[in-house]
């Protein structure tokens, strides 16, 4: 039995907007094993993005603990957290979040800049990954010169730049038509099956969620239902 | 690594070309002002020192006290007398002393009358030779005055070169000074000093007669003997005049100057002028710096999302800081480089105007490496300091908030 690579232990997140407090997460417990493919579903505002951001060390819980590879992230320094985001985790967002002034190649190479990878190595690797996602002929295009599906594939390539163990995808198909969405999902499925990457996928679409090993249903900041589809990881 | 940051920052600036240029205007005006004016000042200083060096440092000038500016006689100052000249001559270490008069008078040529400065020429030949040598005067046309040239004059170069009067004055022309007729026998060589170059030189006795001047001098030029220390001799001389006039030290109503002192005095004046210029330039740089700060804050705000993205893919706070810090540094540095080039051009322009319009070689800028390096370094520092706060703000953005920013 594999260890949990990610573990959320009674995690609370409270946002304060003036005098109003919003509890985005209310005692969330979640454990994800290495190599697992987990889908998170739930209504808008249920805290899915908040949870994923915390798993990705982008945000800190108000209460409770988050463990990445058994390390309590609240004990880590800012630069250690950045290191985790850069090396262990690959983010894919609904809005693609590419840098518009940089080419596809530069976007994919950027995470490697922050890890001090040499320029030669960066370009070689970025080209390889872009080819892998079928964009070998678009490497010098700026994001604005690419279609939504192509942009999301650049974002996937960027998430894979530093060969992370965990890929976090927050509604990656939300801005894509269902056919383009399918290709994006097939990439993620492949990453999980072939490269044994741990994947957390947030989606509203049951057809997409069914590719996962397990679906967690979130409501009002806690898991209300868990559905095992197949043995994975 | 750092190079990548440079390239990234540079790319960012290129995306906002117009704004980047406008931001740099403040910097390069300041730097251009500093570079052009300091280089001209340095050139002027070197030229003046060079001129005095050619005169020789054994010259001593005695004048009654004035502000130090303008020709003697132009202010209401008590004149020196023959008696003062004797005191100078008798001072130990003095080889020769010559009294001179410099006054303005009406000079008429071809029916046009103008006021010009007259400079007296000594009646004794050895005294005339001393003046020639002391002020490195030369003759470009005709000859210098000599004893007995009672109603003859030599004119400054500018009167010969330019049409200050209806016609250029040449040797052989006739002038009227305060109604008396004079013949021009020579034209002086160019000195580069407009005051010397427009003077009319006249024998001392004739000048006293024409202008009705009694027993007085406007200045006494003297020379320290061989092997004497000019500043020691000057001190001794000052002591003798004080004693003669019954004055205590510090109460002098006269001045004893050596070229060294003149150079020093000039240096102080020049320094004051440059300090004012640098002050103005500093204000321009301050304004430029505030411009950079403002631009960087705008840039941070505009790129909030970009900062969030970079943090989500592994950028540390320090990476973000570096990116923005370098960007503002580049703004300052490029502004500085342009400013140096502009200042260089401006200095050269002034040099050209000086040569062609004013006819002086004194305005020759000297661009020392120190000046250029400090200008560049300073502009980089101004840029960096201006970018410090915006860069710090950018680095401290919360990644999630930054990503949500619209
Ligand atoms: N930075 C914030 N400041 C204040 N409130 C926030 C902030 N981020 C999230 N929230 C609130 O927390 C709750 C959970 O938000 P979250 O973005 O996690 O929802 P979600 O499940 O991802 O929704 P969606 O499906 O619409 O993306 C919401 O009520 C939201 O308004
Ligand atoms: Mg969301």
């Amino acid at each position: 039995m594999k260890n949990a690579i990610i573990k959320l232990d009674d995690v609370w997140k409270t946002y304060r907007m003036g005098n109003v407090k919003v509890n985005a997460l209310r005692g969330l417990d979640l454990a994800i094993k290495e190599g697992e493919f987990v889908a998170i579903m739930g209504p808008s505002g249920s805290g899915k993005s908040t949870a994923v951001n915390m798993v990705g060390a982008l945000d800190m819980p108000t209460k409770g603990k988050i463990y990445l590879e058994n390390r309590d992230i609240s004990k880590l320094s800012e630069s250690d957290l950045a290191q985790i985001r850069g090396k262990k985790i690959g983010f894919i967002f609904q809005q693609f979040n590419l840098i518009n002034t940089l080419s596809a190649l530069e976007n994919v190479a950027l995470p490697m800049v922050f890890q001090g990878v040499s320029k030669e190595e960066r370009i070689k690797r970025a080209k390889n990954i872009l080819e892998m996602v079928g964009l070998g002929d678009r490497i010098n295009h700026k994001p604005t010169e690419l279609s939504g599906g192509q942009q999301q594939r650049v974002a996937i390539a960027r998430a894979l730049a530093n060969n992370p163990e965990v890929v976090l995808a927050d509604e990656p198909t939300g801005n894509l038509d269902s056919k383009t969405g399918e290709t994006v999902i097939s990439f993620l499925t492949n990453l999980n099956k072939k490269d044994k990457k741990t994947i957390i996928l947030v989606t509203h679409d049951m057809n997409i969620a069914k590719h996962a090993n397990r679906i967690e249903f979130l409501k009002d900041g806690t898991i209300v239902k868990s559905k095992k589809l197949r043995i994975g990881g | 690594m750092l190079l990548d940051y440079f390239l990234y920052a540079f790319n960012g600036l290129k995306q906002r070309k117009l704004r980047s240029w406008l931001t740099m205007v403040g910097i390069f005006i300041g730097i251009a002002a500093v570079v052009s004016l300091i280089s001209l000042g340095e050139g002027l200083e070197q030229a003046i020192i060079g001129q005095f060096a050619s005169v020789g440092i054994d010259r001593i000038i005695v004048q009654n006290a004035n502000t130090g500016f303008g020709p003697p006689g132009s202010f209401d100052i008590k004149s020196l007398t023959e008696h003062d000249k004797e005191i100078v001559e008798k001072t130990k270490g003095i080889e020769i002393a010559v009294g001179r008069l410099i006054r303005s008078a009406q000079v008429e040529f071809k029916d046009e009358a103008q006021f010009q400065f007259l400079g007296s020429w000594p009646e004794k030949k050895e005294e005339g030779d001393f003046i020639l040598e002391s002020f490195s005067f030369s003759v470009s046309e005709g000859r210098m005055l000599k004893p007995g040239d009672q109603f003859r004059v030599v004119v400054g170069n500018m009167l010969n070169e330019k049409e200050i009067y209806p016609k250029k004055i040449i040797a052989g022309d006739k002038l009227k000074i305060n109604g008396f007729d004079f013949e021009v026998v020579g034209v002086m060589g160019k000195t580069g000093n407009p005051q010397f170059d427009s003077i009319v030189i006249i024998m001392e006795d004739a000048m006293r007669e024409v202008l009705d001047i009694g027993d007085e001098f406007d200045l006494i030029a003297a020379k320290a003997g061989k092997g004497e220390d000019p500043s020691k001799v000057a001190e001794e001389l000052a002591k003798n005049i004080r004693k003669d006039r019954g004055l205590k030290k510090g109460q002098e109503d006269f001045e004893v100057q050596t070229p060294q002192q003149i150079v020093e005095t000039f240096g102080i004046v020049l320094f004051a002028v440059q300090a004012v210029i640098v002050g103005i330039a500093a204000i321009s740089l301050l304004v430029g710096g505030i411009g950079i700060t403002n631009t960087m804050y705008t840039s941070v705000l505009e790129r909030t999302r970009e900062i969030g993205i970079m943090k989500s893919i592994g950028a540390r706070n320090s990476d973000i800081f570096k990116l923005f810090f370098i960007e503002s540094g580049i703004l300052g540095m490029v502004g500085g480089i342009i400013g140096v080039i502009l200042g260089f051009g401006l200095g050269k322009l002034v040099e050209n105007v000086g040569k062609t319009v004013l006819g002086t070689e004194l305005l020759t800028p000297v661009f020392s490496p120190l000046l250029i390096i400090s200008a560049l370094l300073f502009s980089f520092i101004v840029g960096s300091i201006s970018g410090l706060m915006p860069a710090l703000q950018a680095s401290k953005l919360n990644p999630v908030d930054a990503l949500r920013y619209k």
Side-chain angles (χ1 to χ4, degrees), chain B residues 223-292:
Chain B
K223 180 186 179 183
K226 271 211 173 63
E228 300 283 350
D229 176 350
S231 37
K232 286 241 172 68
V233 176
E235 253 170 59
E236 180 75 20
L237 182 50
K239 205 175 87 191
N240 289 348
I241 300 176
R242 274 201 305 270
K243 212 166 92 190
D244 178 65
R245 299 187 182 182
L247 298 170
K248 289 203 191 86
K249 204 173 170 128
Q251 295 180 325
E252 290 89 346
D253 56 359
F254 63 91
E255 259 173 11
V256 178
Q257 285 188 312
T258 59
Q260 262 166 314
Q261 283 172 326
I262 295 169
V263 170
E264 274 163 29
T265 311
F266 171 76
I268 291 166
V269 172
L270 192 69
F271 180 80
V273 171
Q274 284 184 337
V276 171
I277 290 161
V278 168
I280 293 166
I283 292 168
S284 163
L285 285 172
L286 182 74
V287 173
I290 293 168
I292 291 183

Side-chain angles (χ1 to χ4, degrees), chain A residues 45 47-50 94 170-171 202 204:
Chain A
K48 304 182 295 293
S49 296
T50 307
Q94 178 177 357
D170 191 352
E171 297 188 47
V202 175
H204 283 292

Side-chain angles (χ1 to χ4, degrees), chain A residues 72-87:
Chain A
D72 180 354
I73 65 161
S74 69
K75 299 250 161 69
L76 299 177
S77 69
E78 176 271 322
S79 92
D80 286 338
L81 291 174
Q83 198 73 6
I84 287 175
R85 291 195 290 266
K87 263 162 95 171

